[in-house]
Amino acid sequence: MKLLAKTNQIYLAFSLAIYLFAGLAFYQVVRILIYREVESRLRVERLDFEAYIRLHKVWSDSTYFVENKIDVDPVSAHAPQTESFTDTLIRNRYDNELMPFRQFTFYVPIQGVTHRVSIRKSLIQSYQLMEVITATMVVCLGLLLLGTFWFQGKLSGRLWHPFYETLSRIKRFNLASATPLQLDKPEINEFRELNEVLRKMGDKMQQDYRSLKEFTENASHEIQTPLALINAKVEQLIQSEKLTETQGRWIEDIYQASRRMARLNQGLLLLAKIENQQFTANHTIDLTVLLSEKLDDMEEVLIHKQIAVEISQSMPFEVQLPPSLADSLVTNLVNNAIKHNHANGRLELASDGEKLWLGNTGSALVSSPERLFERFKKEGSSSDSVGLGLAIIKEICDNYGLQVQYQETSGWHRFCISRKPETE
Amino acid sequence: MKVLVVEDEKGLAESISDYMNKEGYICETAATFREADERIYLYDYDCVIVDLTLPDGNGFQLIETLKKLLATTGVIIISARNALEDKIRGLEIGSDDYLTKPFHLSELNARVKSLIRRRNFGGHTEIRFREIRVNPASRKVYVNGQLTIISRKEYDLLLYFLSNIDVVLTKVSIAEHLWGDNIDSADSLDMVYSHIKNLRRKLLEKGGSDYVRSVYGIGYKFGES
């Protein structure tokens, strides 16, 4: 839920409650005022009535010709005599409509007989007044609500604008690019501070990233050079004629070990570079074509190991990858499929446009399939492999919106590459 | 043929220059950018082998200067960085080849030879060794004047041998020369063996002598001795 929608929602609920309460309170106040007014008039009329009785000693209905204004009834002296104000409805004589009245009941002795006197005042005017007032208030409050709602929406939109601007810039921010994170200086202090902090963080991250990158390159240089030296010296050493068979074997071991170390170093550096996303120039690459080409390249190895290649479906499988990584991905996949294949085995490539499989026959897995993609996980103990191939495949896939899965079914080992479902 | 090796790692520079000297080149070394810069102003080289990262400068700059001075000099970059951008940039400013460290001296030697062949004779020169004659332009091999049909890899193998006569070539370096760096060794060493067997057989069939010798199980040597 968006911030503005959320505040609007809370604001709406709150102002509705307040307005409702205010409306009810107002209605009650008006009602009390009206009643008080009517009741004080009724009291005055009572005084008039009592003055009249004192003067004339007798009451005659004819004095009051207006209908329903007064009722004078004799009551027994023992009846309870309490004065009271009540609301009552009385039917209109002409159009038979029920009309609201306020009635004041009191007891007066006339010529020695207690009479109950009820004088009334019509409330119809007051009710109409109240209706009009209520209607006006509802309209006014409604307009006020809408108005403030609109205003508040506009206002928070404007107030939060720098925040959303910052957010969108951070989203676009690319760590690997040389351009620093550029943010505005909004007039609101909090946002300015936020941008300031973010800019500092961005700069620091870029700086760290750069030094990491430099470290990667330097480490590569520092390790590769001594390795090159070992290699060169060993190569010179084997040119000498005076080596014995045993010495030859030792040298061979040194040589192999240095080659492996070079490979290992290159593999680790490649992994680090992928993790740091130091490859940025993506191209559209058809992996199906690339894999077929790779298999053609490896034809001799395949013939040598007598592995039959089947390409069952070859729909294009296009991905966005830097070319060197695409090549690395394909090379590692093919190498893996060849290395773990047995003689007279089979290798299968298929793509339906959504998924790409590379399968190979081979003996059953010894280690658990879940750990297959981990670094230095080697199947079997062949010392010539450094155990980074599958880790590289996985790292490339993870970083470029692909996923790789491994399946084993009846002697077939399949690596399936598919596009990661869009998460956003 | 004069070759300049620009490499700050003394031991490596020494190994390269020893190897080159043995191949009959006049080889000089420079350990710093300044030294190298001075040398390329003073002397003309047929081929310059440049390390990209030097203590006091950048190899790219050196190549640019070199190309301005004498465009026909061949340039081979040797670098610890296996970065595509470096390779592309190197080619753009006129280098001919790019080798990632660590490399095989025999591989470097083969590349230097092939480069000099291309530069000096436009590739129209034949490589001769005794009764074997190879025409690089048409990729044809003659033994005792008879055309010998060999496969593409066998041709590459033969040329690699001919570039490194009387030198022990390790099996790994042969494998990597034929199939590239990414080849997995276990199978490739078997393949090297079978290719060498086939090549030998084909040369012998046309009346050639057997020049390939296995050395300590490490590798092979091609030569008269």
Side-chain angles (χ1 to χ4, degrees), chain A residues 220-221 224 228-229 231 233 235-236 238-241 243 248 252 255 259 262-263 300-301 304 335 384, chain B residues 11-12 15 18 53 80 101-102 104-106 153 167-168 170 176 182-183 185 190-191 195 216-218 221:
Chain A
S220 162
H221 185 247
Q224 300 291 68
L229 187 61
N231 250 342
K233 295 297 176 194
E235 258 188 277
Q236 281 186 297
I238 55 176
Q239 307 306 332
S240 104
E241 301 283 333
L243 291 181
E252 156 113 37
Y255 189 69
R259 291 311 290 179
R263 240 172 241 244
E300 292 195 34
V301 188
H304 175 78
N335 274 350
D384 52 283
Chain B
L12 191 58
S15 289
D18 282 357
T53 28
K101 284 182 192 172
H104 304 279
L105 290 176
S106 43
K153 293 284 180 210
V167 167
V168 182
T170 60
E176 289 183 4
N182 288 317
I183 190 78
S185 33
D190 289 348
M191 278 153 49
H195 278 298
Y216 314 125
I218 300 177
K221 187 170 177 175

Side-chain angles (χ1 to χ4, degrees), chain A residues 35-103:
Chain A
Y35 272 42
R36 199 177 279 170
E37 164 72 13
V38 168
E39 283 164 12
S40 70
R41 295 229 311 261
L42 283 171
R43 278 201 186 89
V44 171
E45 281 187 16
R46 175 193 180 174
L47 294 179
D48 288 347
F49 177 80
E50 281 168 349
Y52 181 89
I53 293 293
R54 268 199 304 281
L55 193 66
H56 298 280
K57 307 287 186 223
V58 73
W59 171 255
S60 138
D61 264 353
S62 59
T63 339
Y64 266 61
F65 59 84
V66 178
E67 190 209 4
N68 298 333
K69 278 289 190 184
I70 190 157
D71 267 339
V72 182
D73 300 308
V75 289
S76 73
H78 308 292
Q81 298 185 2
T82 41
E83 291 180 4
S84 64
F85 283 101
T86 43
D87 279 331
T88 179
L89 291 170
I90 290 169
R91 215 167 277 282
N92 187 309
R93 193 186 334 170
Y94 303 105
D95 52 15
N96 220 6
E97 242 182 275
L98 284 171
M99 304 293 256
F101 279 86
R102 189 69 176 163
Q103 172 177 294

Side-chain angles (χ1 to χ4, degrees), chain A residues 5-22:
Chain A
K6 184 76 191 168
T7 47
N8 272 348
Q9 201 184 44
I10 292 169
Y11 179 76
L12 193 67
F14 186 69
S15 31
L16 264 180
I18 290 280
Y19 284 5
L20 217 60
F21 175 75

